[in-house]
Amino acid sequence: MKTGKTTLTLWISMVLLAGLSGCATKVYQLKPVSGDVALIDGRPTTKAEKDGIVVVASYERLDLQYVALDVEVKNKTDRPFEVNPANFEYTALDEEQHTVFRTASSPQKPLMFSAADPIHEADRTVYNQEREVKRLKTAKVINTVLLVAAVASDVASSSSRNNQRPERWVQNRITHNNMYSAIQAKRIIDHGMFADRMQRYDYESYRWKELALKPTTLQPGESVRGLVYLPMSRDAKHLLVNYPVSDYESIMITFQQEWVKAEKRRR
């Protein structure tokens, strides 16, 4: 009997190990497949130019719900050029580079995914931080009210003649001790959620204010560099990135998107 159980246990363990080995970790990759592509600092980087405006771009990293591109814009014209990272947008394409999504109002028109506006996102982050502070203050007031109510209930029930019997006294103590524990647990959860959210918002503030490409005016011969954050689309195989340089012309760059198995490190 024991032999049978041991054999069954070993068989289940082998099946689980085989399943785990088959579920290899996959990593996200994004590489340019159009423009002048070169390997710079170990990263595939592309350069495209239209009407004297040059865009140099490479994949930086996945950042929460965004794909971050390291972008440099150069002005090789003889006139000022307005740079706005929110003007970057892309069309999701499949393996054959056909449009994946189309707008509901116009089925013939591809759906465009616009890059995040760092100014708007920074303002929203400030609003979210202020909201979390207000939420914590409200939670503190509620916790205080709950504690006062619990203490009042405890005092009233402890002084009641009906609770003088040992079994009633014990039950009363258990009930109110549970109430105090629940209030303390809620207080800890409230502060934990506040700390977690504020930590995330602090990073988001740093991202939009320090890392992101900023709206600016490039004078002739000047350039600007920063991260452009595109919303993630898992269904796309290619991203056709578009950046307008005039009312009629745009710089177009195609990136190939895929999830590949992580390479095992050699010991």
Side-chain angles (χ1 to χ4, degrees):
M1 193 72 179
K2 290 183 178 180
T3 303
K5 289 184 177 180
T6 303
T7 303
L8 179 60
T9 302
L10 290 174
W11 182 80
I12 293 174
S13 300
M14 291 174 64
V15 171
L16 290 175
L17 288 173
L20 290 174
S21 62
C23 298
T25 302
K26 291 188 175 182
V27 295
Y28 178 79
Q29 285 189 356
L30 186 73
K31 57 184 180 182
V33 292
S34 71
D36 297 330
V37 180
L39 201 63
I40 300 178
D41 296 331
R43 294 191 300 183
T45 304
T46 187
K47 181 177 73 173
E49 181 176 349
K50 181 75 70 173
D51 291 347
I53 302 300
V54 180
V55 171
V56 180
S58 62
Y59 167 64
E60 179 69 19
R61 62 175 174 269
L62 277 183
D63 197 332
L64 299 178
Q65 73 272 36
Y66 294 105
V67 175
L69 299 182
D70 184 355
V71 173
E72 183 179 12
V73 181
K74 302 177 182 180
N75 183 5
K76 296 172 62 177
T77 71
D78 57 357
R79 63 189 185 280
F81 178 72
E82 300 293 333
V83 175
N84 185 355
N87 288 340
F88 278 91
E89 57 185 8
Y90 76 87
T91 305
L93 305 177
D94 59 19
E95 292 182 356
E96 287 74 33
Q97 298 196 22
H98 298 151
T99 302
V100 177
F101 305 105
R102 298 187 180 276
T103 57
S105 58
S106 179
Q108 301 302 319
K109 184 178 180 181
L111 179 64
M112 307 296 289
F113 294 82
S114 298
D117 183 343
I119 304 300
H120 171 75
E121 296 297 335
D123 291 341
R124 190 170 68 169
T125 300
V126 172
Y127 169 77
N128 288 335
Q129 289 174 321
E130 293 174 348
R131 183 184 60 182
E132 288 304 320
V133 171
K134 293 179 180 179
R135 182 178 294 171
L136 182 62
K137 289 180 179 178
T138 301
K140 287 181 177 179
V141 172
I142 294 174
N143 293 338
T144 300
V145 172
L146 292 174
L147 182 59
V148 170
V151 170
S153 173
D154 195 358
V155 171
S157 59
S158 297
S159 60
S160 174
R161 291 183 177 180
N162 294 330
N163 290 330
Q164 296 303 314
R165 289 179 296 177
E167 63 275 11
R168 295 296 297 273
W169 183 88
V170 170
Q171 183 61 42
N172 180 61
R173 292 273 28 94
I174 292 175
T175 300
H176 286 87
N177 286 343
N178 288 339
M179 292 173 62
Y180 295 139
S181 297
I183 294 171
Q184 180 61 20
K186 181 179 180 304
R187 183 177 294 145
I188 293 173
I189 292 173
D190 290 338
H191 281 82
M193 291 179 60
F194 174 79
D196 290 343
R197 289 173 178 173
M198 290 300 287
Q199 184 177 21
R200 171 175 174 172
Y201 292 143
D202 285 342
Y203 168 71
E204 290 186 3
S205 178
Y206 170 74
R207 174 174 64 186
W208 302 124
K209 293 180 180 180
E210 304 297 334
L211 301 179
L213 184 68
K214 304 296 187 302
T216 187
T217 300
L218 287 183
Q219 298 301 324
E222 291 184 343
S223 65
V224 64
R225 183 178 178 181
L227 297 184
V228 172
Y229 293 90
L230 301 173
M232 177 67 170
S233 175
R234 289 182 174 271
D235 296 322
K237 297 299 182 181
H238 295 85
L239 309 182
L240 178 58
V241 179
N242 169 75
Y243 187 69
V245 297
S246 68
D247 293 338
Y248 308 101
E249 298 289 347
S250 296
I251 292 177
M252 312 289 284
I253 299 174
T254 303
F255 286 85
Q256 181 181 351
Q257 174 179 271
E258 59 183 343
W259 294 87
V260 298
K261 291 183 179 180
E263 296 181 359
K264 295 183 179 179
R265 295 182 179 180
R266 295 182 178 178
R267 296 182 178 178

